[in-house]
Amino acid sequence: MRNTLLLVLSLQLLLGCTNDQTHAHHDHHHHDHEVMPMLDTELKLWYEQAAEDWMQQALPIGNGFLAAMFFGGVAEERIQFNEETLWSGGRGEWEDYNGGNRPGAYQYLPKVRSLLQAGKYEEAHALANKELTGVIKENKGNGQWVGFGAYQSFGDLYIRPSHTDSIINYKRVLNISKGLGAVSYESGDVKHQRTYFASYPKRILVFQFENDAPDGSAYEVELKSLHQQKNIRLKGDELIMKGQLENNGMAFESRMKIDAQGAEISFANGLLKVGPTQKLNLFLTAATDYLNEYPHYTGRDFEQLNVQTLANLDSATYEEILTEHLQDYQELFDRVQLDLGPSPSSEQPTDQRLRAYQENGEDPALEVLYFQYGRYLLISSSRPGTLPANLQGKWNHVNNPPWACDYHANINIQMIYWPAEVTNLGEVHEPLIEYIDKLRAPGRQTAQDFFNARGWIVNTMNNTFGFTAPGWDFPWGFFPAGAAWYGQHVWQHYDYNPDRDYLENTAYPILKEASLFWLDYLTEDEEGYLVSSPSYSPEHGGISTGAYMDIEIVWSLFSNTIHALDILGIEPDFKEELIRAKEKLLPLRVGRWGQLQEWKEDLDDPENKHRHLSHLFALYPGKQISILETPALAEAAKTALVARGNEGTGWSIGWKINFWARLHDGANAYAMLRRALKLTGDKRFNMSDGGGVYLNLLSTHPPFQLDGNMGVTAGVAEMLLQSHAGVIHLLPALPEHWPNGGVKGLKARGGLEVDMNWADGQLVQVKVRNSTPGSYRLKYKGAETTFSTLSGGQEMNWDGQPR
């Protein structure tokens, strides 16, 4: 093996850097030197003007429980905030609410199937759309679904400092290396500095306003809400807003502690007046009476929670709360570092960099920023004990948001969590897994009512009140494979973090019940294969006796459940039943123009550019197709992918990066990355080709949707590291645009952490660390090596050369 230290020094010189960032892997080992050189720069989005638009320009902070978007206005700062559980809908809005279920609907299933067998597709669809749809109280149109509900905005905080002079040296910053927002400027001789962050340990949003005026500055604070039934009052040093939603009666409260450093505080006519003071600290928390417990979903003592949250601040200074936040946040964020070399435009404001990038500008550091921004957004919207991130994370400024700001289970929520494990954020995956576990009870009722089947299911749209039924219109609403797809996340959390207790007590029960449904629902076709009938390919095409996405997801579910049974050594009869069923699943087919088929019927149109590429699930995030093991099917998948083109919604573009990475095509993966960073100002609904980013780097469907950010972050990781096919593949889709670079802390299946650097497009060094005993195969181009240990905490270096 080549001399490691010389390689490190040579790459440091090559990349123009000589020092390492600190990182927070694990404390059980110590390194004399780091293999990975990294540019020692903090990652920031920054601008020379305030935001005017919530969706395109405001900047996000959050801790999973709470979220905020800050605008940075000088005369008036607007901070819009959310609390994750504030939802309309559910039983409070509709006393007959039962998760959308329709008892006895299953009696129509045989008739739908017989119509399909007779080739009467239109009649089958009409009957299914009449008798197998889920139920809501009222569809008011324009996305207002009474009974299902929607995620709500909580409130807006307006802070107005007193200024007398013109403003210079304005800067608005989001530092994602630290999880800090900031605004700074000068008014005459007075410097103003604002610092914003969301503390997960303290469950609060923190806003600090500082100035160096000799006598301080006065501030006016106003709290507003879109909800009508509320009361706002000052009690001591706390500004309290208490109310309930008009539609479902959900009770809510926010409490904000005001620390004005001893300055005078008064409250009248809805305005809080403070100061003058040189420092104003605002500590905000909020909660509702929502409780994620089926079937009532209420009962949290939210007032006591808020009182205790603020009481916990009594013994802590602002500086201590900030230090605790930095330690908590950076322990997660710093686990992964990516360096693709310096960018000449790194010192420019983000909006200017983004505009230059549109003109084919080279800015690898902007690509790194966008990759890491996905990790920042996931950490900021999903932490243990919270609900999972929804379609917009936890950020929403309206009460009728797009698609209810819900949990879409036909790709969107899954995509939001694609980067969780591979980018070393296993803990932030936990809220999704807990949410999935709690969908089992309502999902059992749905499986029984609609299909007379065992197990549990969810369909396309889920809310926070156990809505697991099909949607209220087909084709978009029918997707019983949602729970099976959720099961992939449950399995992957084990696959990346091997823990037998988790597998036995959490993952396996979820997987088993999801498998039971499919054992009951699958039927034999005329060739003796098991098919999903009826089925619809998500949001695309008509009713079918075999939409391939269902088959591919079930193949994945059965494979993972069988693997779990092997590890646990239990239920041999059930395991054999799954093996037999998996062997009888409808095989993947190549159609008349060489494409992977989307349906059992060869119906694919080579001119179709639809955003959903559901039949390519087997390529990614599934593993039924791989370039190494099933090259013919991989080629058919490529044919289908090429035909769909390079346009799409933000999330569709993100998915395509992952497809090309799995095909080991770095050039096309990189082309889609650049397409994902297309600057747009479009906030209208665009279902075909509107994907890109706003000035604040939030991905556009459009409008804003978090899955686009996450698809790209997962895709970049997939370009650098893959471990789905039984081998850890290093730099499988490295593009020519990244000839030199390094990455630290990516995770491979089996619990392996991977650091790599490369030069001139060739792997220079890889360091792997394991957390559990095991044997691993590493592959780089044509070379392979193995890493076998009897204990965790071991390391191995390899230079990618044949051994």
Side-chain angles (χ1 to χ4, degrees):
M1 187 177 292
R2 299 179 228 169
N3 185 286
T4 303
L5 186 57
L6 286 175
L7 285 167
V8 173
L9 292 172
S10 65
L11 194 62
Q12 285 175 338
L13 291 170
L14 180 69
L15 295 182
C17 54
T18 56
N19 56 343
D20 289 351
Q21 287 180 318
T22 58
H23 66 294
H25 287 300
H26 301 291
D27 294 329
H28 57 245
H29 53 259
H30 173 76
H31 311 308
D32 295 327
H33 64 269
E34 292 295 346
V35 171
M36 303 303 308
M38 289 286 155
L39 291 174
D40 189 14
T41 54
E42 292 181 345
L43 296 163
K44 298 175 182 177
L45 290 71
W46 72 277
Y47 309 83
E48 294 178 323
Q49 60 282 323
E52 296 179 0
D53 184 86
W54 183 93
M55 191 172 293
Q56 299 183 64
Q57 297 169 322
L59 295 172
I61 61 171
N63 60 19
F65 299 112
L66 303 163
M69 295 281 275
F70 69 92
F71 286 66
V74 173
E76 178 181 78
E77 171 66 280
R78 177 188 173 193
I79 301 171
Q80 182 275 324
F81 67 95
N82 294 90
E83 193 276 342
E84 63 165 356
T85 65
L86 192 65
W87 265 74
S88 61
R91 286 192 175 184
E93 189 168 283
W94 181 27
E95 62 182 20
D96 294 330
Y97 176 87
N98 69 342
N101 291 321
R102 190 185 285 200
Y106 65 81
Q107 64 187 315
Y108 296 95
L109 185 60
K111 179 64 174 174
V112 172
R113 285 173 167 166
S114 64
L115 287 169
L116 285 171
Q117 283 182 322
K120 298 179 179 180
Y121 290 94
E122 289 186 13
E123 290 180 49
H125 168 70
L127 182 61
N129 203 32
K130 182 181 179 216
E131 302 294 351
L132 296 180
T133 43
V135 183
I136 57 173
K137 183 178 182 181
E138 182 184 1
N139 184 354
K140 288 186 173 182
N142 195 32
Q144 298 182 75
W145 301 308
V146 181
F148 182 84
Y151 184 46
Q152 305 288 287
S153 176
F154 201 104
D156 286 270
L157 198 58
Y158 296 90
I159 302 96
R160 306 176 188 104
S162 58
H163 299 118
T164 56
D165 295 292
S166 59
I167 305 301
I168 60 171
N169 296 332
Y170 179 91
K171 194 172 186 180
R172 179 170 58 104
V173 182
L174 180 63
N175 183 327
I176 66 170
S177 294
K178 293 183 175 179
L180 294 177
V183 178
S184 60
Y185 57 90
E186 296 172 33
S187 173
D189 295 331
V190 179
K191 293 181 179 178
H192 289 259
Q193 172 72 37
R194 309 173 191 168
T195 306
Y196 308 144
F197 62 94
S199 166
Y200 171 70
K202 290 290 189 282
R203 200 189 179 107
I204 56 172
L205 300 171
V206 181
F207 313 113
Q208 181 180 77
F209 294 77
E210 296 178 286
N211 65 83
D212 64 358
D215 297 322
S217 175
Y219 294 89
E220 188 178 271
V221 181
E222 186 175 9
L223 179 58
K224 293 183 178 181
S225 172
L226 296 175
H227 306 292
Q228 303 304 311
Q229 297 179 19
K230 63 181 182 294
N231 174 264
I232 301 174
R233 63 192 175 98
L234 182 68
K235 181 181 179 182
D237 62 353
E238 293 182 12
L239 186 65
I240 303 169
M241 177 170 69
K242 191 171 182 180
Q244 61 183 51
L245 297 184
E246 300 81 34
N247 36 49
N248 65 0
M250 181 179 286
F252 62 84
E253 180 190 73
S254 68
R255 286 179 177 249
M256 186 169 70
K257 180 178 179 179
I258 300 126
D259 171 17
Q261 309 288 299
E264 184 177 343
I265 301 174
S266 63
F267 183 70
N269 301 318
L271 290 179
L272 179 75
K273 295 191 175 181
V274 180
T277 180
Q278 289 187 325
K279 188 177 293 185
L280 171 63
N281 296 326
L282 305 175
F283 304 97
L284 175 67
T285 194
T288 75
D289 64 1
Y290 172 86
L291 194 63
N292 190 8
E293 296 293 344
Y294 172 80
H296 301 292
Y297 297 100
T298 188
R300 181 165 66 171
D301 190 347
F302 63 102
E303 294 164 298
Q304 179 56 35
L305 174 61
N306 284 341
V307 168
Q308 187 59 51
T309 297
L310 291 191
N312 290 342
L313 306 181
D314 290 343
S315 59
T317 64
Y318 167 87
E319 288 74 20
E320 289 169 340
I321 295 168
L322 173 59
T323 299
E324 180 186 47
H325 159 70
L326 291 173
Q327 290 172 344
D328 168 71
Y329 171 77
Q330 290 181 310
E331 198 282 320
L332 291 168
F333 186 80
D334 285 354
R335 290 177 187 175
V336 168
Q337 293 167 35
L338 175 62
D339 176 12
L340 299 176
S343 292
S345 59
S346 291
E347 300 305 313
Q348 294 178 354
T350 304
D351 51 344
Q352 293 181 25
R353 294 176 70 181
L354 199 49
R355 289 189 175 102
Y357 192 80
Q358 308 309 304
E359 306 301 321
N360 292 318
E362 293 286 333
D363 194 345
L366 179 66
E367 293 157 0
V368 170
L369 179 67
Y370 194 58
F371 164 79
Q372 291 283 28
Y373 192 42
R375 298 181 67 245
Y376 166 81
L377 292 167
L378 193 53
I379 295 169
S380 301
S381 57
S382 181
R383 299 291 299 272
T386 74
L387 288 171
N390 60 42
L391 286 180
Q392 294 180 188
K394 299 290 170 64
W395 298 278
N396 170 38
H397 67 307
V398 295
N399 292 337
N400 182 29
W403 295 285
C405 221
D406 77 339
Y407 296 94
H408 254 59
N410 66 353
I411 185 170
N412 311 93
I413 297 306
Q414 291 93 333
M415 181 179 285
I416 286 172
Y417 283 89
W418 283 353
E421 299 295 347
V422 68
T423 73
N424 214 334
L425 296 174
E427 296 92 329
V428 309
H429 210 173
E430 292 173 14
L432 178 63
I433 294 163
E434 182 181 358
Y435 176 77
I436 291 168
D437 194 29
K438 291 190 173 185
L439 285 174
R440 280 198 290 159
R444 288 182 196 120
Q445 193 63 49
T446 299
Q448 175 64 42
D449 288 352
F450 286 90
F451 304 109
N452 195 28
R454 297 171 296 170
W456 72 287
I457 57 169
V458 303
N459 283 268
T460 305
M461 292 182 69
N462 309 152
N463 60 12
T464 54
F465 306 110
F467 191 101
T468 51
W472 42 94
D473 191 25
F474 292 169
W476 68 259
F478 190 91
F479 189 61
W485 194 344
Y486 277 159
Q488 188 186 52
H489 286 258
V490 173
W491 168 257
Q492 282 187 347
H493 189 59
Y494 170 80
D495 214 5
Y496 281 88
N497 310 278
D499 179 328
R500 186 184 178 94
D501 181 66
Y502 163 79
L503 180 64
E504 186 171 5
N505 297 308
T506 301
Y508 176 67
I510 296 171
L511 296 171
K512 178 180 180 179
E513 275 198 277
S515 297
L516 286 172
F517 170 80
W518 285 98
L519 288 173
D520 288 355
Y521 185 66
L522 292 168
T523 57
E524 278 195 21
D525 69 0
E526 64 281 358
E527 299 176 80
Y529 293 123
L530 292 177
V531 295
S532 173
S533 179
S535 55
Y536 293 87
S537 197
E539 302 183 39
H540 184 219
I543 197 167
S544 172
T545 57
Y548 262 113
M549 185 179 223
D550 279 7
I551 304 300
E552 293 166 11
I553 289 174
V554 173
W555 187 95
S556 173
L557 172 69
F558 285 176
S559 298
N560 295 336
T561 308
I562 291 165
H563 197 167
L565 286 165
D566 278 337
I567 295 166
L568 296 173
I570 57 174
E571 302 185 53
D573 293 343
F574 181 53
K575 176 183 157 186
E576 285 304 313
E577 187 179 5
L578 290 174
I579 290 172
R580 287 194 300 272
K582 180 184 170 185
E583 290 172 347
K584 287 182 65 177
L585 288 173
L586 182 70
L588 301 181
R589 286 177 175 165
V590 179
R592 66 192 185 282
W593 47 279
Q595 88 286 7
L596 190 72
Q597 289 183 199
E598 186 164 359
W599 299 274
K600 176 185 174 184
E601 305 87 358
D602 189 356
L603 302 172
D604 302 284
D605 176 2
E607 301 304 316
N608 187 293
K609 306 298 181 188
H610 198 271
R611 63 193 179 278
H612 279 267
L613 294 103
S614 302
H615 51 314
L616 301 193
F617 174 95
L619 179 63
Y620 185 94
K623 58 181 182 180
Q624 191 173 356
I625 296 174
S626 83
I627 197 166
L628 299 176
E629 297 177 339
T630 58
L633 288 173
E635 188 62 31
K638 180 179 179 179
T639 299
L641 179 58
V642 169
R644 287 291 172 93
N646 290 348
E647 290 300 319
T649 57
W651 61 262
S652 179
I653 292 165
W655 200 0
K656 290 174 183 177
I657 298 173
N658 287 277
F659 288 143
W660 285 117
R662 284 279 172 98
L663 292 169
H664 294 188
D665 189 329
N668 273 307
Y670 182 78
M672 294 311 303
L673 169 61
R674 289 199 73 100
R675 176 61 189 83
L677 278 163
K678 179 182 178 180
L679 180 61
T680 179
D682 190 359
K683 296 191 292 181
R684 301 165 301 169
F685 287 83
N686 183 331
M687 309 297 284
S688 57
D689 59 0
V693 293
Y694 296 125
L695 288 169
N696 56 11
L697 295 187
L698 293 179
S699 180
T700 71
H701 181 286
F704 159 53
Q705 209 164 278
L706 192 67
D707 43 18
N709 288 93
M710 301 308 174
V712 173
T713 296
V716 170
E718 204 71 19
M719 292 164 74
L720 301 175
L721 180 71
Q722 296 177 19
S723 60
H724 59 286
V727 61
I728 297 167
H729 212 117
L730 309 173
L731 305 180
L734 184 71
E736 291 182 359
H737 287 267
W738 299 341
N740 308 306
V743 67
K744 279 184 179 180
L746 291 180
K747 280 194 83 172
R749 289 163 179 81
L752 213 62
E753 283 192 2
V754 180
D755 302 346
M756 289 181 284
N757 57 27
W758 60 92
D760 297 326
Q762 300 295 316
L763 179 68
V764 171
Q765 186 81 13
V766 60
K767 174 187 283 187
V768 294
R769 292 176 301 282
N770 69 330
S771 57
T772 56
S775 182
Y776 312 87
R777 288 171 57 210
L778 276 68
K779 182 177 178 66
Y780 174 66
K781 295 186 175 178
E784 280 197 30
T785 190
T786 57
F787 173 44
S788 299
T789 69
L790 299 176
S791 62
Q794 304 299 306
E795 293 183 351
M796 183 189 77
N797 294 333
W798 183 43
D799 60 3
Q801 299 299 308
R803 286 186 166 179

